[in-house]
């Protein structure tokens, strides 16, 4: 509907509006800070108004971009993209509102709000585009904005705050002199790691285009049968989708490219919330879901058994990979979260773990006979996770804002100082760990339920089900640990505020410069612009179950919602947990919650008078702790490789450029010297001094050529002739002689 | 042929038609196709004479503008008995050369633009480059090649940089080497076929190849000749195995000359390669494709790996332009119409990006009176916000990020490779482009994230900065309207690639 406006406005408003932000800054600081919130508010309203249009044709908005490639710009209005657009724009709006207060004392807000708004625009481009390539452009816009935003605080001069329980890294790449360097490094890391996935993805997109002849999702879905069969007949179906999935792995931080997200916490909290809840990391899930829908749309239900028998193996193996990657990520990152000492990093690990659940849901959907239910549970989890994760991050930002440290072991006892934050944080944490009736329970438990369903048919399913259950246990453990360490126990945050502020913690730099008096105040709840989004999100988290029937209706175009339908869906949601076969996974989940929750409660809340920094100091528990603290050594492994590559390039430069080529030259100089010495010795008495002149001249000649840079002409010619040889050999091979 | 700019072209033609009619009577019809080059030679002589008393730079500007108008109003025809031909393909490259030439002249206001010899040599080289892209005969190509190259040897030596003579010497010696190999190749071709005209050659090659490449000794000789051509023309392009002079010369030469070398003579080399491979040796495509693939991969890897280790920006850009040419070779390796069009599009976009980047670095370098290193860029966003923003855009364009034309040029190249089944080549290219972020992002990091040692504003000369602004605007505009150039590139490729 869009009130009669053209659809592309939804993308143009944030993207073009981001350019206006610095201009607005010339007139008024306040106007500039509120511009993103305002524009995103408009966009949000437009997105909400898309609901009646789902499924409508796109004729007039189609704009030919590159005719030679058949590249057209179209807006895709199907349930998935509209739900994603509504979710992203709404969360972006709330986060921008929050940022107006949160960032109020920071410098260079032009850059910040420009990147924030462009980020939102990139996400909307991704989800609303009907064109894989243009979606990819949105994808890349987000990548670049994340780079700028994560490294936003690049001007911090203070040395980075060290983790009291941390492990000293020996890698020279990880030594930072200032906080700013660390932040820059984190931004670069996020960009480069996701770009690795992106490169594979672009390769996959091009490969897919080769067989489908179109970038358009709808056209792809229309003749899925034919390209599907061609692709599988040449054996490229599985590789193509794996390549595309590599992009999703990178963006959504799935194993093994999960390493960038925990460091992405270096940015301001609103950035973390934006990346985790509303945009970026959801992109990978979205693309996977999009392909699930596209593949499944060729038939009424189920990707694998019915519709495409010839390529059974490829489709099944692809979705098996998706499910396994999801399950492993969910479990692996949840265990890492159990030992992290950084408030936001715990949340980051929880994001990774929840994303793993979503990926698991997508994979399960592709493997089950009927994809809809598992797919829907994944979408519901995207929605509920978006809300509660935004809530948690924004609340955590408030905490860090007032206690001036990011480390949990330096917090504690904040309950009495920040009662409102304390309550909303509990709501978020309960939803995260999947306690009924909060939003997270409904979505996560149904994902586990379908994993169980898969386990009944499939051996891989058993493995996935176990992983999902264990991850749920870990989730509640770190959730309660987080609350216990931050809010319960002796109020260490206040007692040591002085030395905290003396050491100028993570978030306090710009803040303390302008408002030094706040440092010595007691921690307190943040102001209205920061709390309002929190209340909205908390309210949604509690009543989400009432919204889910609507989502389901939209997702499967089930027609108008009536009260009777709504109540029946709700009853079914509850009943399915209490009757067979849904009862079995439900009981398992409850067991897992008890398994993780009770020890955590005893350790971190029950004995709240005890210091909350207990670290196992011996035996298997210590080794396990170290293993988890090192994040399964995956991160270090990458650094080891990157360090190796860097050493290689510099050694190539120093060895080949400097040593070998110089060596040749020094060699020739030495030969010249020794030769000329011999000549002199031989000829000394005959041609007096003549030879000496030769030797000095040749030495001088070779020395003079050594002055500039590295290159020597004679070596260049030698390399050129060597190249001729290489090419001749190549040609002989291509002629079939060798 | 003229898709987007047709109305403008028609308008200019209509306005100027009375004058054109008058002038055409004086010009021998056989010269008509080469008039742009001949005019440039004329203006070069005028600039030399004017330069004795006055600043000759305006003469050069007028010369380039007059030639552009000539290009528009004169019909593309062949000249000198078909030795030089203006067709869609050569026109595309002539316009690249003229655009780069204009930008280079703008940048020449910084240094030595007021000297007669400098302008003379530059315009002569422009003329040579135009002749190279129009030449359809090996002998004509060789002559034009020398006319283009010889002035640049002197120009690189004229630089204020201390190492200029060293860089020029390397360039000169390597250039001589390449020329020798080229002559050798021409001799081999002539010895086997008795032909030097490329179009005639193609039918001869077809007969030789029809008996199967493994059978005839003539085929081996021709393959050797072709290898020599790839090396000697590729030397100017800066691809394996003749890349080594590029960083030395680019970093020591006058920045304006560098941007001319990177923006225009490189492209002339590309066009010569395309003419030889796609016109004369098209029948032997399956034989030379592996060669070009090898060259492409080696060039990409060498350029990207060594760029990472550089400290001076000029050297980094030089290595990055080596890598860029490696990507371009992917299009030639694909050998289809789309592949060649992608290569042309990349040539155009690369001309904009690299010319802009080199001029910008040169402007900063002249202002600071030293070679620009990464440390000199620290805090550029505070010292010169406009320059810094433009630098960022150009780097992102080189890295192939969306919202810049560099995205499309790389994408289409990779796509052309995928289309002919060389998806592994596209993947290597993609991974290389990820790798290249390592050094492009470093520029951004220094510009935006590192505090300057000396925070005073850096005032840059305005005319060269204007030239860079034009490049940046182009880079962004051609992301939104890639069709404006791509259509011409496809037209040019369609004219040359025989399906």
């Amino acid at each position: 509907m869009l009130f009669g406006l053209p659809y592309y406005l939804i993308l143009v408003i944030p993207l073009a509006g981001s350019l206006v932000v610095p201009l607005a800054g010339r007139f008024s600081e306040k106007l500039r800070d509120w511009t993103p919130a305002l524009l995103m508010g408009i966009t949000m309203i437009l997105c909400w108004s898309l609901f009646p249009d789902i499924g409508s044709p796109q004729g007039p908005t189609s704009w030919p971009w590159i005719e030679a490639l058949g590249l057209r710009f179209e807006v895709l209005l199907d349930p998935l993209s509209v739900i994603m657009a509504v979710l992203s724009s709404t969360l972006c709006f709330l986060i921008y509102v929050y940022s107006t207060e949160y960032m109020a004392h920071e410098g260079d807000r032009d850059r910040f709000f420009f990147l924030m708004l462009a980020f939102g625009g990139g996400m909307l481009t991704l989800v609303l585009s009907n064109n894989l390539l243009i979606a990819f452009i949105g994808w890349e816009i987000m990548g670049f904005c994340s780079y700028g935003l994560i490294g936003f605080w690049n001007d911090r001069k203070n040395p980075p705050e060290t983790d009291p329980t941390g492990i000293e890294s020996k890698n020279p790449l990880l030594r930072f002199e200032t906080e700013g360097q660390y932040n820059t490094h984190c931004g670069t890391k996020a960009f480069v790691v996701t770009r690795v996935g992106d490169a594979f993805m672009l390769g996959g997109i091009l490969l897919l285009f080769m067989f489908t002849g179109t970038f358009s999702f709808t056209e792809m879905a229309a003749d899925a049968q034919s390209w599907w069969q061609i692709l599988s007949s040449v054996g490229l179906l599985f590789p193509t989708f794996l390549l595309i999935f590599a992009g999703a792995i990178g963006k959504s931080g799935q194993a093994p490219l999960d390493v960038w997200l925990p460091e992405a916490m270096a940015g301001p909290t609103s950035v973390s919330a934006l990346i985790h809840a509303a945009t970026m990391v959801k992109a990978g899930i979205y693309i996977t879901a999009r392909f699930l829908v596209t593949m499944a749309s060729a038939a009424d239900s189920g990707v694998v058994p019915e519709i495409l028998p010839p390529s059974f193996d490829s489709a099944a193996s692809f979705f098996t990979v998706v499910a396994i990657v999801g399950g492993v990520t969910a479990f692996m990152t949840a265990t890492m979260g159990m030992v992290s000492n950084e408030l936001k990093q715990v949340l980051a690990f929880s994001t990774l773990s929840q994303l793993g659940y979503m990926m698991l849901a997508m994979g399960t959907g592709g493997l089950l006979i009927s994809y809809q239910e598992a797919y829907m549970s994944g979408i519901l989890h995207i929605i509920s996770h978006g809300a509660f994760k935004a809530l948690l991050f924004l609340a955590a930002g408030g905490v860090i804002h007032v206690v001036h440290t990011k480390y949990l072991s330096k917090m504690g006892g904040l309950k009495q100082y920040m009662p409102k934050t304390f309550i909303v944080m509990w709501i978020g944490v309960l939803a995260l760990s999947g306690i009924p009736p909060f939003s997270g329970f409904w979505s996560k438990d149904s994902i586990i339920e379908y994993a169980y369903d898969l386990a009944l048919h499939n051996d891989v399913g058993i493995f996935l089900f176990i992983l999902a259950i264990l991850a749920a246990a870990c989730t509640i453990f770190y959730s309660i640990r987080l609350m216990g360490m931050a809010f319960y126990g002796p109020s260490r945050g206040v007692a040591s505020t002085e030395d905290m502020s003396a050491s100028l913690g993570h978030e306090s730099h710009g803040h303390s410069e302008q408002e030094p008096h706040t440092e010595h105040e007691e921690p307190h709840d943040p102001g209205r612009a920061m709390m309002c989004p929190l209340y909205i999100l908390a309210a949604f988290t509690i009543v989400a179950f009432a919204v889910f029937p609507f989502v389901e209706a939209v997702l499967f175009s089930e027609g108008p919602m009536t009260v009777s339908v709504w109540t029946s869906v709700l009853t079914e949601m509850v009943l399915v947990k209490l009757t067979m076969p849904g009862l079995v996974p439900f009981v398992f989940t409850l067991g897992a919650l008890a398994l993780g929750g009770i020890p955590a409660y005893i350790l971190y809340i029950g004995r709240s008078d005890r210091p909350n920094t207990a670290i196992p100091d011996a035996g298997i528990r210590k080794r396990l702790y170290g293993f988890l603290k090192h994040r399964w050594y995956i991160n270090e492994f990458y650094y080891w490789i990157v360090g190796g590559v860097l050493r290689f390039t510099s050694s190539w430069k120093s060895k080949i450029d400097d040593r070998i080529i110089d060596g040749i030259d020094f060699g020739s100089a030495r030969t010249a010297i020794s030769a000329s010495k011999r000549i002199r010795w031989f000829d000394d008495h005959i041609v007096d001094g003549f030879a000496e002149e030769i030797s000095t001249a040749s030495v001088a000649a070779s020395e003079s050529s050594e002055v500039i840079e590295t290159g020597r002409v004679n070596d260049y010619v030698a390399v050129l002739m060597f190249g001729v040889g290489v090419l001749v050999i190549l040609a002989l091979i291509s002629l079939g002689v060798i | 042929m003229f898709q987007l700019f047709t109305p403008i072209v028609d308008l200019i033609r209509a306005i100027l038609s009375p004058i054109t009619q008058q002038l055409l009577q004086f010009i021998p019809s056989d010269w008509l196709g080469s008039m742009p080059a001949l005019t440039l030679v004329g203006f070069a002589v005028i600039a030399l004479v004017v330069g004795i008393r006055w600043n000759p730079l305006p003469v050069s500007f007028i010369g380039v503008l007059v030639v552009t108008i000539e290009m528009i109003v004169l019909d593309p025809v062949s000249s000198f008995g078909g030795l030089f031909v203006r067709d869609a393909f050569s026109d595309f490259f002539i316009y690249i050369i003229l655009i780069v030439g204009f930008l280079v002249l703008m940048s020449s206001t910084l240094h030595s633009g007021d000297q007669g010899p400098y302008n003379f040599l530059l315009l002569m080289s422009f003329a040579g480059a135009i002749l190279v892209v129009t030449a359809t005969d090996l002998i004509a190509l060789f002559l034009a090649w020398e006319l283009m190259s010889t002035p640049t040897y002197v120009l690189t030596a004229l630089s204020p940089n201390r190492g200029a003579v060293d860089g020029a010497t390397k360039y000169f010696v390597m250039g001589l080497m390449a020329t020798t190999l080229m002559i050798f190749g021409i001799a081999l071709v002539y010895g086997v076929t008795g032909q030097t005209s490329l179009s005639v050659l193609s039918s001869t090659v077809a007969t030789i190849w029809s008996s199967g490449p493994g059978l005839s000794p003539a085929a081996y000789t021709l393959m050797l000749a072709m290898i020599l051509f790839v090396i000697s023309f590729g030397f100017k392009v800066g691809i394996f195995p003749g890349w080594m002079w590029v960083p030395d010369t680019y970093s020591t030469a006058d920045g304006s000359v560098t941007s001319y070398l990177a923006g225009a003579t490189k492209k002339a080399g590309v066009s010569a390669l395309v003419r030889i491979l796609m016109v004369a040796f098209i029948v032997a495509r399956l034989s030379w494709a592996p060669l070009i693939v090898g060259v492409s991969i080696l060039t990409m890897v060498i350029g990207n790996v060594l760029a990472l280790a550089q400290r001076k920006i000029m050297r980094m850009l030089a290595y990055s332009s080596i890598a860029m040419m490696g990507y371009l070779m992917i299009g030639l390796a694909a050998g289809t119409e789309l592949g060649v069009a992608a290569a042309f599009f990349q040539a155009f976009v690369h001309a904009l990006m690299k010319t802009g980047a080199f001029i910008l670095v040169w402007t900063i370098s002249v202002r600071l009176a030293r070679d620009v290193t990464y440390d000199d860029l620290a805090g550029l966003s505070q010292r010169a916000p406009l320059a810094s923003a433009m630098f960022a855009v150009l780097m992102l364009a080189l890295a192939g990020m969306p919202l810049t034309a560099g995205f499309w040029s790389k994408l289409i190249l990779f796509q052309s490779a995928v289309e002919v089944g060389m998806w592994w080549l596209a993947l290597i290219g993609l991974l290389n482009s990820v790798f290249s972020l390592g050094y492009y992002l470093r520029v951004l990091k220094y510009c935006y994230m590192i505090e300057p040692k000396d925070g005073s504003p850096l005032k840059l000369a305005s005319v060269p900065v204007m030239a860079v602004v034009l490049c940046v605007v182009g880079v962004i505009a051609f992301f939104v309207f890639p069709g404006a150039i791509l259509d011409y590139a496809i037209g040019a490729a369609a004219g040359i690639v025989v399906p």
Side-chain angles (χ1 to χ4, degrees), chain B residues 18 54 78 102 112 152-153 179 201 230 266 268 283 295 387 389 426 432 469:
Chain B
W54 299 285
S78 65
F102 192 81
S112 60
T152 57
Y153 299 140
T179 310
L201 198 56
V230 168
K266 237 179 215 290
V283 186
V295 165
N432 262 290
V469 169

Side-chain angles (χ1 to χ4, degrees), chain A residues 410-601:
Chain A
K410 293 185 185 172
M411 297 175 189
L414 293 170
K415 190 166 55 168
Q416 61 265 42
Y417 299 104
M418 308 176 72
K420 293 177 195 157
T421 313
F422 173 68
I423 291 168
V424 291
M425 197 98 177
W426 257 122
I427 294 173
V429 157
L430 289 177
L432 170 65
S433 27
I435 306 281
F438 297 98
S439 63
F441 164 73
W442 302 103
S443 49
K444 195 201 280 185
D445 200 57
S446 45
I447 292 177
I448 294 175
E449 193 184 313
Y450 295 112
Y452 175 73
D453 203 2
L454 188 63
L456 294 178
H457 300 96
N458 193 326
D459 290 343
V460 183
I462 300 172
F463 171 65
L464 294 174
F465 178 65
I466 294 171
L467 282 181
I469 291 290
L470 289 179
C474 298
T475 307
I476 191 164
F477 182 88
Y478 64 67
S479 305
I480 293 180
R481 172 173 175 271
L482 171 80
M483 291 308 287
M485 285 177 85
F487 289 94
Y488 290 88
S491 59
R492 186 199 303 265
V494 181
S496 53
T497 299
E498 251 83 333
D499 32 273
M500 293 296 160
S501 51
S503 73
L504 272 187
H506 178 63
E507 308 258 333
S508 63
H509 178 71
H511 191 73
S512 59
E513 267 184 0
Q514 277 141 49
E515 284 184 83
H517 60 277
T518 54
E519 276 174 38
H520 301 286
E521 277 179 8
E522 288 185 338
H524 58 89
D525 278 320
R528 212 183 314 145
M530 281 167 79
M531 285 312 283
C532 272
L534 290 182
Y535 292 145
I536 295 171
L537 290 168
F540 175 80
T541 304
I542 296 173
V543 301
F545 65 91
V547 181
F548 287 165
F550 289 97
V551 178
E552 188 181 336
V554 170
L555 214 51
F556 302 126
S557 318
E558 280 173 354
M561 176 63 66
T562 59
V563 178
S564 63
V565 174
W566 182 72
T567 42
S568 72
V569 173
L570 268 191
T571 340
E572 199 193 321
M573 272 167 61
V574 178
L575 278 182
V576 85
K577 312 280 181 214
L578 300 177
T579 54
M580 291 300 284
L583 188 61
V584 181
F586 184 53
V587 168
F588 269 106
T589 318
L590 287 183
L593 290 181
L595 181 71
I598 293 170
Y601 188 84

Side-chain angles (χ1 to χ4, degrees), chain A residues 708 713, chain B residues 153-154 156-172 248-249 252-253:
Chain A
I708 307 295
V713 174
Chain B
Y153 299 140
V154 187
T156 47
L158 284 179
S159 153
N161 195 309
R162 207 179 301 150
V165 176
D166 181 77
T169 313
K170 282 169 186 160
Y171 180 32
F172 181 56
D248 288 332
T249 307
T252 54

Side-chain angles (χ1 to χ4, degrees), chain B residues 82-360:
Chain B
L83 287 182
F84 299 98
V85 173
R86 261 187 68 193
D87 51 13
F89 163 62
S90 48
D91 274 12
F92 186 80
F93 278 91
I94 292 176
Y95 282 117
I96 294 183
I97 291 164
L98 288 175
I99 291 170
V100 172
F102 192 81
L103 296 168
V104 166
L105 287 176
M106 285 175 87
S107 144
S108 297
T109 52
L110 271 176
H111 193 274
S112 60
D114 51 354
Q115 291 161 17
Y118 178 88
N119 282 273
F120 172 74
L121 292 167
L122 207 53
L123 290 189
M124 287 302 271
S125 187
F126 290 173
I130 290 178
L131 287 177
V132 166
V133 302
T134 52
T136 57
D137 185 286
L138 284 175
I139 301 297
L141 186 60
F142 173 74
L143 287 176
W145 188 262
E146 285 306 295
L147 180 61
M148 174 182 81
S149 307
T150 315
T152 57
Y153 299 140
V154 187
L155 282 171
T156 47
L158 284 179
S159 153
N161 195 309
R162 207 179 301 150
V165 176
D166 181 77
T169 313
K170 282 169 186 160
Y171 180 32
F172 181 56
V173 173
M174 294 293 283
L176 274 186
M177 180 84 192
T179 310
T180 322
L181 295 178
M182 191 193 301
I183 291 276
F184 186 32
I186 294 175
L188 286 178
V189 168
Y190 188 72
V192 172
T193 64
Q195 302 292 341
T196 53
S197 163
L198 291 174
S199 49
V200 181
L201 198 56
S202 81
S203 53
T204 321
V205 172
T207 28
I208 290 173
W209 246 261
S210 63
S211 63
L215 299 174
S216 137
Y220 291 118
T221 317
L222 283 180
M223 273 306 274
L224 180 60
M226 207 172 53
I227 293 172
L228 294 176
F229 287 143
V230 168
I231 291 163
S232 53
F233 290 105
F235 149 81
K236 199 66 108 190
V237 185
I239 54 177
F240 179 87
W243 82 93
M244 301 191 80
W245 62 277
V246 172
D248 288 332
T249 307
Y250 280 21
S251 62
T252 54
D254 184 323
S256 317
V257 176
T258 303
S259 48
Y260 170 64
L261 288 178
T265 60
K266 237 179 215 290
K267 306 300 141 39
V270 169
S271 90
L273 269 181
V274 170
R275 276 228 196 259
I276 287 177
L277 293 177
M278 301 304 295
V279 175
F281 285 87
I282 184 67
V283 186
R285 201 184 87 72
L286 288 178
S287 307
W288 56 253
L291 221 73
I292 300 296
V293 169
V295 165
S296 164
I297 295 175
L298 283 170
T299 311
M300 282 189 282
V301 172
I302 289 170
N304 279 322
V305 169
L306 285 180
L308 202 59
Q310 302 305 321
R311 297 203 180 287
K312 288 183 186 166
I313 304 293
M314 278 290 201
R315 286 183 76 85
M316 183 277 277
L317 287 175
Y319 277 113
S320 106
S321 77
I322 291 173
M324 284 286 166
M325 290 301 118
Y327 300 135
L328 189 145
M329 287 292 137
I330 292 180
L332 292 191
T336 54
E337 189 182 314
L338 183 70
V340 176
F344 290 174
F345 188 58
Q346 163 85 343
F348 179 85
V349 174
H350 178 263
L352 280 186
M353 299 187 296
K354 266 288 145 58
T355 311
F358 275 121
I359 292 177
L360 188 59

Side-chain angles (χ1 to χ4, degrees), chain A residues 65-66 68 71 133 140 157 184 191 195 199 203 209-210 652 709 711 713 716 719-721 723-724 727 734 737, chain B residues 170 173 177 220 231 241 244 248 287 290-291 305 312 401-402 408 411 415 418 430 434 437 449 451 480 482 490:
Chain A
W65 197 348
I66 302 183
L71 187 61
L133 203 56
E140 291 283 297
K157 289 290 189 304
T184 311
F191 195 24
R195 272 292 291 195
F209 176 76
M210 196 173 125
W652 186 353
E709 300 295 338
V713 174
Y716 286 5
V719 171
L720 188 75
M721 292 327 288
V724 175
L727 290 185
S734 85
V737 179
Chain B
K170 282 169 186 160
V173 173
M177 180 84 192
Y220 291 118
I231 291 163
M244 301 191 80
D248 288 332
S287 307
L291 221 73
V305 169
K312 288 183 186 166
M401 296 295 290
W408 292 127
L411 184 91
Q415 195 194 329
V418 170
L430 279 164
V434 173
L437 272 179
M449 301 193 167
E451 291 290 312
V480 185
I490 290 172

